[in-house]
Amino acid sequence: MSTLSADIRTLPKRGFRIGTLPAAFHATHYRGLLIPLVLLVLWEVAAQFHWINPILLASPSIIFHGFDRSLTEGDLLLNLQLSVTRMGLGWLAGSLIGLAVGLAIGLSRTADRVLGPTLHAFRQIAPFAWIPLISVWFGLGDSAKVAFVALVVFFPVVVNTYEGIRGVPKQLIEVSRVLMFSKARLIRSVILPAAAPAILNGLELGFLYAWLSTIGAEYLMNATGGVGSMMESAQESLEMDIVFVGVIVSGLIGFGISLSVRLARTRLLHWRKSFA
Amino acid sequence: MSELGTLSIRNVSKQYKVKGSTLSVLENIDLDVAPGEFVSIVGSSGCGKSTLLRLVVGLEGDYRGDILLDGERITGPSLQRGIVFQEHRLFPWATVQENIGLGLLNAELDAAEKAKLIQEHIDLVGLHGFENAHPHQLSGGMAQRAAIARGLVNRPEILLLDEPFGALDALTKIYLQTELQRIWTQEDITMILVTHDVEEAVFLSDRVVVMDARPGRIKRIVPVPLEHPRDRADPEFACLKNEVLSEISGFKPVSAKPALKVVGGGL
Ligand SMILES: Nc1ncnc2c1ncn2[C@@H]1O[C@H](COP(=O)(O)OP(=O)(O)OP(=O)(O)O)[C@@H](O)[C@H]1O
Ligand SMILES: [Mg+2]
């Protein structure tokens, strides 16, 4: 076994690949931090010397103070919790509906002919154009935000699921015909695994969009808190430090999301040759 | 004729429509294969060998003529007919073991019997130690061997093999040819093998079908009336090999003269 496994190009590992995480932070990545650090220093210096108007651009030290303020006096954690909950619910709803519809139109030509053109037409509508309609239908509360996130998530999930299913190699379908797979077995053992990379892609994109649309929805429908609403209120009262706190927090969450998505992908699709 | 598994290909023609025009791939193919017979098909690239196998396995319904199994027209795939495709066509997300297991999905065996059969076939094709490897971790030849195991594991009545040993090194090839022959003699499976290797065809087959291209048709059928197992060094074997070769290339090797002189004489 030991001599033979030397021939395996990469050993199949079922376990969580911790090794890939530090790899993301290798030396080359540190070099990428140089320019942001220089800019940060310049920014602070410029603020200290009053070269820039603090109303327009708060300095790093003021923003840092703003962090402290919004953690102790403000509701940063509560807002964060509200936003993340909305994102999660919206993503879940959009993904489930998107998966169901995507599977239906991917697997059935009839469903495709009935639903396809309508979906395609609705896809052309810019997501934020739905906001006025949604606020009329759902108000400005939680349900409106979750509905908007679900709507934004729905489209990439549908499209990628559909295309993943339609892109299953004909050769593998032929193998399943020769081996006399039932329709259910064909779907379970061939179509779904073959479409899995595309489906995951859709869910991933949906995840990234979910966060963006949560912030956007909270910003545009400022009523019941959340990071987006926090930013909008701070902007109204010219608290630039808090606006920047919102920008940084939402950026960090977005970064965390794409990192976890990449890790999940490596883990779920370990059979694929490359994960480019 | 009473034995089950008689395949008759009667006057079969197959056309593909490519951008409006029709391409005649096979024309008037007539071939009877007796139960338990080993038939090889040789011929230049593109002459329709793979297409003929696709018709027999039941993947193409749109053809003229008749393909009959025990007198019944073949209308689609069946577990009685297995195929090893020219490309390995393993499922990339499944391990070697799982891929071979999918060949047994419809077999009426319990899990333990299936596991035993799968392991036997993994050993047979020399993939011991790679049970849990995925196809992308195998070399081309190893993947092809896994595909052969998947085709064999269900023990079809008729097994179609499309250049199964094309990607293998000479030693593995000879080993697997011998193994295939052993399975064929033991299990009484009818086998139809497409190959570019004339020696392989003569070594294994009762008859070698030589095909011509554009449109694909049978040029000649060369019987190989030698006892199994065959000796590749036997002069009669060499003679049959040359006969098939000359049918393929239209070139008559004159074994008494050095090859250079033959070329020179031809100019
Ligand atoms: N689905 C298809 N549509 C159109 N033309 C096809 C199709 N499949 C095969 N052909 C054509 O049919 C001819 C025969 O193809 P086939 O694959 O049967 O050849 P082959 O004898 O197996 O060749 P090789 O030895 O290279 O594998 C080729 O000219 C090919 O272009
Ligand atoms: Mg071929």
Side-chain angles (χ1 to χ4, degrees), chain A residues 4 10 174 179-180 271, chain B residues 54 89 105-106 128 136-137:
Chain A
L4 277 172
T10 48
E174 282 184 358
L179 296 177
M180 302 292 283
W271 53 268
Chain B
R54 291 175 59 81
R89 298 201 186 186
L105 201 67
N106 292 304
H128 179 76
H136 75 266
Q137 294 163 323

Side-chain angles (χ1 to χ4, degrees), chain B residues 29-190:
Chain B
I29 304 288
D30 267 302
L31 182 66
D32 281 305
V33 181
E37 197 179 9
F38 199 120
V39 173
S40 286
I41 303 175
V42 296
S44 59
S45 178
C47 72
K49 305 179 294 293
S50 296
T51 306
L52 186 57
L53 294 195
R54 291 175 59 81
L55 289 170
V56 173
V57 84
L59 283 173
E60 305 269 351
D62 177 30
Y63 62 90
R64 275 189 283 122
D66 289 303
I67 303 177
L68 310 169
L69 185 59
D70 297 322
E72 287 210 28
R73 199 165 196 272
I74 289 174
T75 52
S78 129
L79 286 176
Q80 271 71 58
R81 279 165 284 130
I83 187 167
V84 177
F85 288 98
Q86 195 165 356
E87 329 83 56
H88 63 75
R89 298 201 186 186
L90 297 172
F91 297 115
W93 50 83
T95 62
V96 166
Q97 208 167 29
E98 290 162 349
N99 264 293
I100 299 174
L102 284 169
L104 271 184
L105 201 67
N106 292 304
E108 282 164 18
L109 301 168
D110 63 43
E113 289 173 310
K114 282 187 182 178
K116 186 166 160 277
L117 267 179
I118 294 168
Q119 193 55 53
E120 276 172 19
H121 283 79
I122 288 174
D123 295 343
L124 173 71
V125 295
L127 287 177
H128 179 76
F130 290 92
E131 287 83 355
N132 294 315
H134 283 87
H136 75 266
Q137 294 163 323
L138 304 175
S139 70
M142 290 161 81
Q144 195 59 29
R145 281 185 272 153
I148 294 169
R150 181 174 68 183
L152 274 172
V153 74
N154 191 44
R155 287 294 183 273
E157 272 173 39
I158 300 183
L159 182 62
L160 310 169
L161 299 134
D162 200 345
E163 299 183 35
F165 308 139
L168 303 182
D169 64 282
L171 277 178
T172 314
K173 192 171 181 171
I174 288 177
Y175 165 73
L176 282 177
Q177 286 168 356
T178 316
E179 281 303 312
L180 190 67
Q181 177 165 302
R182 185 182 62 72
I183 292 165
W184 172 68
T185 15
Q186 265 176 20
E187 313 261 339
D188 224 20
I189 303 176
T190 308

Side-chain angles (χ1 to χ4, degrees), chain B residues 168-222:
Chain B
L168 303 182
D169 64 282
L171 277 178
T172 314
K173 192 171 181 171
I174 288 177
Y175 165 73
L176 282 177
Q177 286 168 356
T178 316
E179 281 303 312
L180 190 67
Q181 177 165 302
R182 185 182 62 72
I183 292 165
W184 172 68
T185 15
Q186 265 176 20
E187 313 261 339
D188 224 20
I189 303 176
T190 308
M191 294 198 183
I192 303 180
L193 169 83
V194 167
T195 178
H196 281 296
D197 183 337
V198 173
E199 181 171 306
E200 176 175 296
V202 175
F203 181 72
L204 291 169
S205 321
D206 296 318
R207 289 184 294 156
V208 179
V209 176
V210 181
M211 286 183 66
D212 237 353
R214 259 154 289 157
R217 56 198 182 277
I218 294 179
K219 190 178 182 192
R220 216 193 122 188
I221 299 178
V222 180

